[in-house]
Amino acid sequence: MDFHDLMTAVRRRWQFVVVCVLLGLAGAAAATALMPRTYTATAQLFVSTRDEASADAYQGSLFTQQRVKSYTHIVTTPAVLDGVISRLGLHTTPGHLSEKISAHAPLDTTLVDIRVTDGSATRAQAIADETARQFTTYISTVEGSPTAASPLVKADVVGGSQPPSTPTSPRPAVNTAIGLFAGVVLGVGGALLRHSLDTTLRSSDDIGAHLGLTTLGVVPPPVRRHPPNGPRAGTSRREEALSQLRTRLGFAAGDGIPGSLLITSALRAEGRTRTAVDLATAVARTGRRVILLEADLRRPRLTAELGLRGTPGLTGVLRGGTPLYTALESWEDGRIRVLPSGPVPADPNTLLSGPDMVQLMRALEADADLVVVDSPPLLSFADGATLAAAAEGVLFVARTAKTHREDALRALDTLSAVRARVLGAVLTGTRPKGLAHWKQPRDSEPPDGVLPVDGPASSPVKARAAAPGRQHEQAG
């Protein structure tokens, strides 16, 4: 994983990273609030020698420094702390008290620093001062000589007696820095882990890198239906994305839009039927003759969704009992003709695999500029592969954050096995790049074939029924 992958993971899951950072900061704030306050008091001793026989002051200083190293270990012994407990009336033992006390000697000095931590600043300072006094008494006894008038080494208290004013723990700045760092590490690490485990297709880059297909369109989801006078923000954004899909489709085919185009996907609920309807509508806006063929004989939806009256449809035509011209229904004021699926047969694949289906496709192509075919998902049924072999081109539909690349690759292998001509892919359910802030100009008239944002239609499926196109009227 390189730096680009790292930035991609963080960009896609920045909400997760932000949540982790906020949780880290919240944890730091909670720890700061719940941690008991502790204060650190200090007392300092100066150790000197009284060796009158030592004429060399330097040698006397070295002697004292060697002694000081041992004194730091004596400070926390029961011999010193018993006197502290007795003097201050503490209800503790030397062992427990020694856990609060530490002593060390700064390098190349004859000083001993005593530190005491406690929940009370006054008590901490009292313990530090009394420990220093008890230590000086103990040193005078230990270093005393029966023949000498005074001890060879003495210790004097030179620092202390002032209780600390601020606690040493908790430290809000340190806790905040730790919480922030932990949140960033957890957030970025979790984002990278989720990125490495996520096999769904999320962008056109994923489709190009993992499937080897050109993304012809990135189509946002359709807006919800609004009241007649309600807002319709986002409708024009989707229409523009569909217009781009229509334009790129012509260039992908090389010689213009193919005569028949199969809209398929790996699994269900990936936007296949909606893409077929919207693409047929977008092409019909340019004045071309479009036939929408519902070849999904497993879960037909178009009759109910488009409000058609219902005919024997594709099933009736393939069985030979219904003429094609009577099975076709007009929709969008005659701009699109629809051949619905008809009654669900007992064995749809057998019906679609016969030579009559190929002849029907050729007849529809001869009677229209574009035949848009809606099919079942490729991995669920064999119908999609059968129809792909009969169509001039295939448009593969993937849904962002839902279609897994393993499923998409298996579906493309199925298309490759029947030598289908895959023109490209459409990514549904996401916002297309470059259209995030696109708005219809308020003071300009919309171009031919494009409805204004506040027009009477609420979706591309309904648009042409509300505003007929001039080109198609002339053609009719």
Side-chain angles (χ1 to χ4, degrees):
M1 180 173 291
D2 55 14
F3 180 75
H4 175 73
D5 293 331
L6 171 64
M7 296 306 298
T8 300
V10 173
R11 185 179 68 252
R12 288 182 177 178
R13 295 170 175 84
W14 63 269
Q15 297 97 331
F16 176 77
V17 177
V18 171
V19 169
C20 289
V21 170
L22 293 178
L23 289 176
L25 294 177
T32 302
L34 297 176
M35 288 176 62
R37 293 178 177 270
T38 58
Y39 296 84
T40 301
T42 61
Q44 193 174 65
L45 299 171
F46 177 73
V47 181
S48 59
T49 181
R50 290 183 176 179
D51 188 4
E52 297 177 356
S54 179
D56 191 345
Y58 178 72
Q59 292 297 328
S61 176
L62 291 178
F63 171 77
T64 304
Q65 290 178 17
Q66 294 298 321
R67 287 288 216 219
V68 164
K69 294 179 182 179
S70 300
Y71 292 162
T72 58
H73 299 285
I74 298 175
V75 172
T76 56
T77 60
V80 176
L81 299 184
D82 280 336
V84 176
I85 294 173
S86 176
R87 183 75 175 177
L88 299 179
L90 302 176
H91 301 285
T92 185
T93 62
H96 286 89
L97 185 59
S98 64
E99 296 176 358
K100 298 182 178 183
I101 302 174
S102 63
H104 76 282
L107 186 64
D108 297 334
T109 67
T110 59
L111 300 174
V112 176
D113 292 332
I114 299 174
R115 289 186 174 88
V116 179
T117 58
D118 192 83
S120 170
T122 304
R123 185 168 57 242
Q125 190 61 56
I127 294 174
D129 293 341
E130 188 59 32
T131 302
R133 285 191 290 268
Q134 292 294 328
F135 179 75
T136 58
T137 303
Y138 180 75
I139 289 299
S140 298
T141 302
V142 172
E143 297 290 356
S145 174
T147 59
S150 58
L152 182 63
V153 177
K154 71 170 184 175
D156 298 309
V157 180
V158 295
S161 301
Q162 185 65 35
S165 59
T166 58
T168 54
S169 177
R171 293 179 289 180
V174 175
N175 291 347
T176 301
I178 293 175
L180 178 62
F181 178 76
V184 170
V185 172
L186 180 62
V188 174
L192 289 176
L193 179 61
R194 293 180 61 186
H195 181 72
S196 62
L197 297 178
D198 186 9
T199 61
T200 59
L201 301 171
R202 292 179 173 270
S203 66
S204 57
D205 294 336
D206 289 345
I207 291 179
H210 300 295
L211 305 185
L213 295 179
T214 301
T215 303
L216 300 181
V218 182
V219 183
V223 296
R224 295 179 299 177
R225 289 184 174 90
H226 296 284
N229 296 324
R232 294 180 178 85
T235 302
S236 293
R237 187 180 297 122
R238 180 174 172 84
E239 289 179 354
E240 181 65 18
L242 291 169
S243 297
Q244 289 189 3
L245 170 60
R246 180 192 64 214
T247 302
R248 294 173 182 174
L249 183 62
F251 285 98
D255 52 354
I257 295 179
S260 58
L261 182 66
L262 179 73
I263 311 298
T264 188
S265 65
L267 298 171
R268 59 182 299 269
E270 292 178 333
R272 181 184 61 259
T273 300
R274 172 59 59 182
T275 301
V277 174
D278 289 345
L279 179 61
T281 305
V283 174
R285 287 177 180 175
T286 64
R288 291 184 175 90
R289 298 170 301 162
V290 178
I291 294 178
L292 180 58
L293 170 61
E294 184 181 24
D296 185 354
L297 303 183
R298 307 284 180 166
R299 298 169 59 97
R301 297 169 46 194
L302 285 185
T303 299
E305 183 171 336
L306 303 183
L308 304 177
R309 67 178 186 274
T311 66
L314 177 62
T315 302
V317 174
L318 292 179
R319 285 176 174 172
T322 304
L324 178 58
Y325 69 89
T326 62
L328 289 169
E329 294 192 51
S330 295
W331 181 65
E332 293 275 277
D333 288 347
R335 289 165 184 79
I336 297 177
R337 287 174 292 169
V338 182
L339 180 59
S341 64
V344 177
D347 189 359
N349 187 254
T350 300
L351 193 63
L352 295 174
S353 300
D356 292 340
M357 183 64 199
V358 177
Q359 295 177 7
L360 174 63
M361 290 285 291
R362 302 290 86 84
L364 293 175
E365 291 172 2
D367 194 37
D369 298 313
L370 173 64
V371 180
V372 180
V373 185
D374 179 31
S375 73
L378 290 167
L379 299 185
S380 301
F381 309 100
D383 305 0
T386 301
L387 294 168
E392 290 188 4
V394 175
L395 191 62
F396 186 78
V397 177
R399 189 171 185 84
T400 181
K402 185 180 186 300
T403 303
H404 291 267
R405 55 176 176 260
E406 294 83 1
D407 295 334
L409 287 173
R410 288 169 52 203
L412 292 177
D413 287 341
T414 301
L415 295 175
S416 177
V418 298
R419 298 182 180 180
R421 182 190 180 193
V422 182
L423 302 179
V426 176
L427 189 63
T428 63
T430 188
R431 175 174 294 181
K433 293 181 179 180
L435 297 177
H437 304 289
W438 187 90
K439 295 182 179 179
Q440 180 73 36
R442 293 183 178 180
D443 300 329
S444 62
E445 293 294 330
D448 266 352
V450 179
L451 289 178
V453 176
D454 297 326
S458 61
S459 70
V461 174
K462 305 287 186 180
R464 296 305 301 173
R470 292 182 302 174
Q471 295 179 352
H472 196 83
E473 288 178 351
Q474 295 172 359

